Amino acid sequence: MTKIRERDKASSADGMSPSTDDGSVVLVVEPLLPQRIRRPSDLLRFLATLIVLVIVVLLALVAQKTLNGLESDVIDGTNRAPFLLSGLVGVLSGAAMLGVPAAYAIERVIHRDGLRVAEGLFAAIAGMVISFALGEWIVKAGPGELQVLLTGGRDGVEPLNTLLTSVIAYVTAVRISRRPTWRAILWCAVALNAIALFAATAATILGVVVSILVGLAVGYATLYGVGSPNTRPPGSAVVAAIRKLGFHPVKARRMDDDHQSSRRYAVSLKDGSLLDVTVLDRDRQVAGLIYRLWRRIRLNSETSRRAIRSLRAELEREALMAYAAQAAGASTPRLVGTSEIGTDAALLAYEHTPSRALDDVPDDEIDDNLLAQIWEQVLLLQVQRLAHRRLTGDSIHVDEEGRVILMDARSGEIAAGDLLLRLDIAQLLTYLSLRVGAERAVRAAAAVVGPNMLAGALPLLQRIALTRETRAALNKNKELLTAIRECIVELEPKVEVDEVRLERFRPRTLITIIASAFAAYFLVYYLTQINLNMISSAKWGWTGVALAAAMLTYVAAALMLRGFVPEKLPLGRTVLVQFAGSFVKLVAPAAVSGVAINTRYLQKRGIPPGQAVASVGASQLIGLAFHITLLLLFAYITGSSAATSFTPSRTLVFALLALAVVVPVVVSVPPLRRMITTRIRALFSGVIPRLLDVLQSPRKILEGFTGTLLLTIFFVACLDASIRAFGGSLGFTAVAIVFLAGNAIGSAAPTPGGLGAVEVSLTAGLTLSGVSTEVATSAVLLFRLLTFWLPVLPGWASFAYLQRNEAL
């Protein structure tokens, strides 16, 4: 800590410590502010530039013909310009590209800002080296299509213009964008330089754009790496701003805090009172921006907060929330003044009340009276429709007399909707349950706000709705939310809970979309490799056999489901449900769609949800057992050298050895073991009792096992007929192994219906088995056409019919 007095230049912007009206010195105690800081905004700009760069390159690769045509038009237009004009533009652009940075450097040196010029020179050198290295890599080892787009296929053309990249890196690092006049002159010079390059056919459109983006990225990386001069006002400036509000400070002390977006000072006044001052720094307003953006994209708009807010908007928001809370009668620190501190900061001054955070209060000191006070304060906010939005242990304080004070209302909302108010209840209830237990927390809340208000928060007891700190604490007590729900239901057993969906999408949905995009790309790639003459030569007789086998798979799937449901199911409608499942596969992974639609069908038939899930789980469990058994059996048979010598194949031996190594490793890792057991328990809970019910009927056993076996046989027959339709030939057991392995990979893939994964795995399996690449590719695409794409239309019709008749 350092003590700042008059003429102490280490903490005062003008070299003077503030003094009171009577001339006495104000003591400011704070750590020395760093001379340079890394601004999160520079890092965000760097990341955004990289993202734009990737998008530009990908779009250029997709629209190559359009880009080449546009470039031809630009070059043709520049070539039609008079020679004298072209030469003049070339001379002016070259002079401007070197002259503007040099003139700006001289201007900065005159104003004693040579360090900024040095940073710019460092960025220029880095930009030159990086652009040269990237250009050499693209020319010698880069993708051919990208090389053509960046050089136009002409010798001597730089993929990245070294001069342009280094100049953009330089002007970015010296922050020329903050000077409107200089910025306009610079971009005029860049435009002239681009015209001159096009006229001389020395660059391409993509090359110029990529050069600029690489220069920007290098400049922002330099700014973040070396840091920027610290423009945050020191404590002396804060004291001066407080004095302008009419107060008479005699001492200020910087308080240690963990807040990323504000500094806090304790200011002693001449009359002996204290102020708690919050300083909002402009450069810290973007701290945590990536997390806030992710939450805003992922959550519904009503629950998410604005990711970016200006300094003045942040000041006004916190001040308005403080005044509204005071008007509501809530016990919050009284706001006594606000002020800007120059152009880079603002402050809010609150009356100081000695208190300690609830996080610092031992659990045994949190009695029922304290819990009741907390809920009373929150209820005052709720009545006036004020949402606090951060009811955690660091924002709930207890003063010296044991009274509750609500702090840190900056994230709050005025005129909040019902959802935000219920979210506050859910958050506070969860936090207090972590401290005193679910039963006691629910009982204390019900005594103040009533069971009805707690019941309204019941569907919002979701991890995603809670603060980051509370979610982290729940990792140590994963059953707490369930316990809270049970306690609320005991108070209000007749409550009807409507599900509230807070997430726009889940992370696995994003993964599915990305995987589907890659799958579609690979599928299109395979389609472009097909010989159309090969398709026209398909034997339609075998194609008909493949189609019949594909259609019979739906009958087999219906028999399989009927066999594991003790209740009677109509065969026709059950077959339609399987067709409807083929439509659902378009929007869900293969392993999920069938389970979901069959479970829904059984529930609509009047079967209780638990038994419906158990029946589908039983069919899936038996299907999995059949799948593994058949795979091992066919692999065993395929490896036999003779009918009487059943020697297992070398591949099977390696597979079993690998499985023997992988399984113990997975089981020995606690997180993996818990994940697998949890998922298996959730899927197959209640399966054994359901199987025991089925075993009492021999007819059901026969129907279920027959359907399971026929389902695999018909799929293998369809793939085998597809191979023969294109003149290929492969043993039935080998085809069965390829299908079983490919189907397993497709079921594990996150893409809808295993799209992409199934095609690649089946094609690779057939090729390794000796089928030519053309035949294998054509056969797999015919197989997928008959089993995945063709049933979509009848699947949609079945889905719509079943919904109209309330069967789904």
Side-chain angles (χ1 to χ4, degrees):
M1 305 293 286
T2 60
K3 296 184 178 181
I4 313 301
R5 295 184 181 275
E6 187 173 335
R7 302 184 185 278
D8 187 349
K9 299 183 181 181
S11 102
S12 180
D14 58 358
M16 300 287 290
S17 261
S19 59
T20 60
D21 295 338
D22 58 4
S24 60
V25 176
V26 177
L27 185 67
V28 180
V29 182
E30 68 174 351
L32 282 174
L33 295 178
Q35 294 185 353
R36 304 186 68 82
I37 56 175
R38 288 190 173 93
R39 301 178 185 271
S41 57
D42 293 329
L43 177 60
L44 291 174
R45 291 189 180 100
F46 169 70
L47 296 176
T49 305
L50 290 184
I51 293 173
V52 173
L53 178 61
V54 172
I55 292 174
V56 166
V57 172
L58 291 178
L59 289 177
L61 291 173
V62 171
Q64 295 181 43
K65 294 183 179 179
T66 302
L67 188 61
N68 290 333
L70 178 62
E71 185 176 344
S72 299
D73 294 339
V74 172
I75 293 176
D76 183 60
T78 53
N79 287 337
R80 292 187 180 185
F83 176 78
L84 181 61
L85 180 61
S86 299
L88 181 61
V89 169
V91 173
L92 288 177
S93 66
M97 289 294 287
L98 295 176
V100 172
Y104 188 76
I106 294 172
E107 192 260 353
R108 286 292 88 199
V109 170
I110 292 175
H111 287 82
R112 298 183 179 181
D113 197 8
L115 183 59
R116 182 180 299 187
V117 176
E119 295 169 3
L121 291 175
F122 175 81
I125 295 172
M128 183 178 297
V129 172
I130 291 174
S131 63
F132 176 78
L134 284 175
E136 289 296 307
W137 173 78
I138 291 171
V139 170
K140 295 181 180 179
E145 295 177 347
L146 185 60
Q147 180 181 344
V148 171
L149 287 172
L150 290 173
T151 63
R154 301 184 293 270
D155 295 333
V157 176
E158 290 182 308
L160 275 74
N161 188 276
T162 305
L163 174 63
L164 183 58
T165 302
S166 57
V167 168
I168 295 297
Y170 169 83
V171 297
T172 303
V174 297
R175 296 189 184 276
I176 203 173
S177 59
R178 295 184 175 181
R179 307 285 296 277
T181 303
W182 285 100
R183 183 176 66 236
I185 295 173
L186 169 71
W187 285 111
C188 287
V190 171
L192 284 174
N193 184 63
I195 294 172
L197 291 174
F198 293 143
T201 62
T204 64
I205 294 177
L206 182 62
V208 170
V209 174
V210 170
S211 298
I212 293 174
L213 291 174
V214 171
L216 289 172
V218 172
Y220 289 132
T222 302
L223 284 174
Y224 186 74
V226 303
S228 303
N230 189 357
T231 59
R232 298 172 187 168
S236 57
V238 174
V239 170
I242 293 173
R243 191 171 60 248
K244 291 179 181 179
L245 293 175
F247 299 101
H248 303 284
V250 295
K251 181 179 179 181
R253 179 175 58 86
R254 172 81 177 272
M255 299 168 60
D256 295 330
D257 58 70
D258 298 325
H259 292 269
Q260 296 183 342
S261 57
S262 62
R263 288 179 285 154
R264 308 222 172 180
Y265 289 85
V267 179
S268 302
L269 301 181
K270 188 175 182 180
D271 60 3
S273 60
L274 293 175
L275 294 179
D276 289 330
V277 178
T278 299
V279 178
L280 308 177
D281 295 304
R282 186 182 300 278
D283 64 272
R284 301 181 76 175
Q285 294 305 303
V286 295
L289 177 62
I290 295 178
Y291 174 76
R292 296 200 301 271
L293 281 174
W294 168 247
R295 294 277 293 183
R296 185 169 182 82
I297 294 172
R298 184 180 174 189
L299 298 182
N300 290 328
S301 57
E302 189 176 353
T303 63
S304 56
R305 310 168 188 174
R306 286 193 61 180
I308 303 176
R309 187 177 290 112
S310 67
L311 178 65
R312 172 158 287 278
E314 190 74 17
L315 175 67
E316 293 174 350
R317 179 189 182 90
E318 183 168 351
L320 186 59
M321 187 65 191
Y323 290 136
Q326 291 174 20
S331 179
T332 58
R334 191 169 76 90
L335 181 65
V336 295
T338 60
S339 174
E340 290 187 340
I341 313 175
T343 59
D344 292 316
L347 67 81
L348 299 100
Y350 296 90
E351 284 186 352
H352 174 73
T353 302
S355 63
R356 54 176 176 165
L358 192 60
D359 277 342
D360 299 329
V361 177
D363 293 347
D364 54 7
E365 293 185 18
I366 303 178
D367 54 18
D368 292 342
N369 178 52
L370 183 59
L371 293 175
Q373 283 193 63
I374 294 172
W375 284 108
E376 288 169 358
Q377 293 299 319
V378 173
L379 184 59
L380 289 173
L381 297 180
Q382 296 266 319
V383 169
Q384 296 298 321
R385 305 199 70 79
L386 301 176
H388 188 282
R389 306 209 63 180
R390 188 175 170 77
L391 292 171
T392 58
D394 60 350
S395 62
I396 302 173
H397 283 226
V398 182
D399 66 9
E400 295 175 342
E401 298 180 2
R403 293 176 300 187
V404 171
I405 301 174
L406 298 181
M407 313 283 285
D408 196 18
R410 184 188 311 173
S411 301
E413 294 281 353
I414 296 173
D418 290 337
L419 184 58
L420 291 181
L421 298 178
R422 293 156 66 191
L423 282 172
D424 265 2
I425 299 295
Q427 163 61 35
L428 180 58
L429 191 59
T430 305
Y431 171 76
L432 293 179
S433 297
L434 287 167
R435 299 296 305 274
V436 301
E439 183 179 357
R440 187 177 164 201
V442 170
R443 186 175 66 249
V448 178
V449 302
N452 290 334
M453 188 173 288
L454 293 184
L458 188 59
L460 297 174
L461 288 169
Q462 308 174 34
R463 287 177 58 89
I464 191 64
L466 308 176
T467 63
R468 190 188 306 189
E469 298 85 356
T470 306
R471 293 199 304 272
L474 283 174
N475 291 332
K476 301 177 182 178
N477 193 348
K478 296 184 178 181
E479 302 300 324
L480 181 64
L481 292 179
T482 301
I484 297 173
R485 296 188 192 101
E486 292 175 351
C487 292
I488 295 176
V489 172
E490 289 179 2
L491 292 175
E492 196 72 17
K494 296 182 180 180
V495 63
E496 294 183 3
V497 179
D498 295 329
E499 182 180 358
V500 177
R501 183 171 181 179
L502 301 175
E503 294 177 283
R504 283 195 177 105
F505 63 88
R506 299 190 179 188
R508 65 184 180 187
T509 306
L510 187 62
I511 296 173
T512 299
I513 294 173
I514 296 173
S516 300
F518 278 104
Y521 173 80
F522 286 118
L523 186 59
V524 171
Y525 172 79
Y526 275 112
L527 288 173
T528 59
Q529 304 301 313
I530 297 175
N531 187 344
L532 296 179
N533 294 327
M534 188 81 180
I535 293 179
S536 62
S537 64
K539 299 176 182 178
W540 296 107
W542 282 111
T543 302
V545 173
L547 176 60
M551 295 301 104
L552 287 173
T553 58
Y554 294 96
V555 179
L559 292 174
M560 175 180 171
L561 180 62
R562 279 163 48 100
F564 294 99
V565 179
E567 294 80 5
K568 186 177 181 180
L569 299 177
L571 179 61
R573 180 158 291 190
T574 308
V575 172
L576 290 179
V577 171
Q578 308 313 308
F579 270 105
S582 65
F583 170 68
V584 179
K585 283 182 182 179
L586 287 177
V587 294
V592 176
S593 57
V595 173
I597 199 165
N598 283 325
T599 302
R600 180 66 174 170
Y601 168 61
L602 294 181
Q603 291 179 4
K604 283 292 187 177
R605 295 290 301 178
I607 300 175
Q611 295 182 11
V613 173
S615 294
V616 176
S619 64
Q620 293 291 314
L621 179 61
I622 298 301
L624 177 63
F626 264 81
H627 195 101
I628 295 174
T629 303
L630 291 174
L631 181 60
L632 295 176
L633 177 62
F634 285 127
Y636 195 92
I637 294 175
T638 303
S640 302
S641 58
T644 57
S645 176
F646 285 88
T647 304
S649 64
R650 186 177 301 173
T651 303
L652 177 61
V653 174
F654 284 138
L656 292 176
L657 288 175
L659 185 65
V661 172
V662 170
V663 171
V665 171
V666 172
V667 172
S668 63
V669 179
L672 292 176
R673 184 173 65 249
R674 283 195 299 268
M675 181 185 69
I676 293 173
T677 55
T678 300
R679 294 200 173 190
I680 292 177
R681 189 183 300 114
L683 183 60
F684 297 120
S685 59
V687 167
I688 301 302
R690 199 64 169 164
L691 282 176
L692 293 177
D693 293 340
V694 172
L695 291 176
Q696 297 177 9
S697 173
R699 185 179 64 82
K700 286 289 184 181
I701 297 174
L702 179 63
E703 188 176 22
F705 280 59
T706 301
T708 305
L709 182 60
L710 288 177
L711 182 63
T712 301
I713 291 176
F714 286 141
F715 271 121
V716 175
C718 180
L719 180 58
D720 183 65
S722 299
I723 297 171
R724 296 179 186 276
F726 293 98
S729 178
L730 193 63
F732 190 82
T733 55
V735 175
I737 292 175
V738 172
F739 165 74
L740 292 168
N743 188 58
I745 294 174
S747 298
T751 57
L755 185 65
V758 173
E759 286 80 4
V760 172
S761 58
L762 291 180
T763 303
L766 293 177
T767 304
L768 292 175
S769 300
V771 181
S772 66
T773 303
E774 288 186 342
V775 173
T777 304
S778 301
V780 169
L781 289 175
L782 176 60
F783 172 77
R784 290 291 279 171
L785 175 66
L786 298 177
T787 59
F788 182 74
W789 295 108
L790 189 62
V792 168
L793 187 58
W796 170 79
S798 300
F799 189 83
Y801 170 80
L802 293 169
Q803 279 196 322
R804 283 198 307 270
N805 290 272
E806 297 184 354
L808 280 181

